[in-house]
Amino acid sequence: RHPGWPAKLGPLRVPAGVLAVRPVRLRDAGEWSRVRLRDREHLERWEPTGIGPWPDRNAFWSWPSQWLALRGLARRGQCLPFTITVDGRFAGQITVGNVIRASLRSAWIGYWVSSDIVRGGVATGAVALVTDHVFDFGGLHRLEATVRPENTPSLRVLAKAGYRQEGLFERYLDVAGGWRDHFCYAVTKEETGDGLVSRLVAKGLAERV
Ligand code: ACO
């Protein structure tokens, strides 16, 4: 089992409401599918190219196998797959994946937020909560986030949360049907001081509740 897993993080008050993060559940199926079928425009161009049509991949019945796969990886210590909630309702996902231990102790972080509550500080708060958690309890030292240069909202999220831009990975990921360049952002534990959440609170961007 992964150190720091399972875990519930928050709550944190952000402009969109009361934000919390908890492990993905089988019963997320209904909301996960409803939001993702509605939000195809908002999500598809930023996500890894999938096999099969969007409506099939995001149908209610495709969640159980995804959830099982994520839970299996989490139990093997390779992934921390979280659901984001706002005011208790499903609001997106945030995942720490490809966890490498030994002398690297690093992983990637990725996230998406329901289109009806974007621009309310949800992703920034979730990134801060999860980053602090994996550094304090997950035994990790570095997190990496890769973002397409065109993805202005996600670049803002990482800058606000306290990640640094390290470089450009050319033709890095198969996203939306092609090999896309990605900026690499990262943060290591010693840069986070009292934690990324504390920094957001000090800047007035979030409040502990
Ligand atoms: N142009 C410029 N800035 C924008 C735009 C836009 N079109 N849209 C949003 N922003 C800004 C917001 O104003 C805000 O910045 P501010 O606080 O300085 O005003 C910032 O982008 C968004 O910050 P949050 O409110 O914390 O983030 P939000 O909860 O809206 O979620 C996210 C952002 C996750 C990128 C959401 O838009 C989304 O789900 N997008 C589709 C999927 C996606 O791109 N996921 C990220 C992939 S990269 C990765 O996972 C590492």
Side-chain angles (χ1 to χ4, degrees):
R1 196 167 273 253
H2 197 298
W5 184 262
K8 290 185 176 179
L9 314 179
L12 207 56
R13 185 178 299 283
V14 295
V18 175
L19 161 71
V21 167
R22 48 124 178 115
V24 289
R25 292 176 184 157
L26 182 56
R27 61 183 181 278
D28 286 331
E31 278 300 279
W32 174 85
S33 174
R34 184 186 67 80
V35 171
R36 289 183 59 85
L37 291 175
R38 182 199 65 198
D39 278 355
R40 178 174 185 170
E41 284 270 295
H42 170 61
L43 299 172
E44 195 174 23
R45 66 199 155 127
W46 310 121
E47 294 196 352
T49 305
I51 298 159
W54 184 267
D56 290 352
R57 282 190 278 130
N58 293 287
F60 181 86
W61 44 262
S62 83
W63 177 248
S65 58
Q66 291 198 38
W67 169 78
L68 265 180
L70 290 170
R71 195 181 64 156
L73 289 169
R75 287 182 169 179
R76 290 198 297 278
Q78 293 166 0
C79 176
L80 295 92
F82 292 106
T83 291
I84 302 171
T85 64
V86 173
D87 298 329
R89 288 205 298 272
F90 182 93
Q93 285 176 267
I94 183 162
T95 308
V96 172
N98 198 23
V99 173
I100 307 289
R101 304 232 159 244
S103 53
L104 192 61
R105 300 205 277 284
S106 183
W108 54 250
I109 187 167
Y111 40 81
W112 67 270
V113 168
S114 171
S115 65
D116 54 11
I117 48 150
V118 287
R119 293 175 173 251
V122 172
T124 304
V127 167
L129 283 168
V130 170
T131 303
D132 287 351
H133 176 72
V134 299
F135 288 164
D136 291 341
F137 302 102
L140 296 186
H141 169 252
R142 172 183 158 92
L143 281 177
E144 204 170 273
T146 53
V147 189
R148 293 181 65 182
E150 304 83 5
N151 195 345
T152 314
S154 187
L155 294 171
R156 273 299 294 153
V157 165
L158 294 169
K160 285 192 292 174
Y163 280 56
R164 272 175 299 106
Q165 190 181 317
E166 290 194 332
L168 178 70
F169 294 166
E170 296 186 31
R171 299 170 298 284
Y172 177 65
L173 264 187
D174 183 0
V175 167
W179 292 105
R180 314 293 181 183
D181 292 352
H182 281 69
F183 283 132
C184 174
Y185 277 70
V187 67
T188 58
K189 183 172 165 62
E190 44 280 87
E191 295 168 74
T192 59
D194 293 333
L196 299 187
V197 171
S198 296
R199 248 191 247 164
L200 288 184
V201 170
K203 283 197 257 172
L205 294 176
E207 191 187 322
R208 285 194 173 92
V209 286

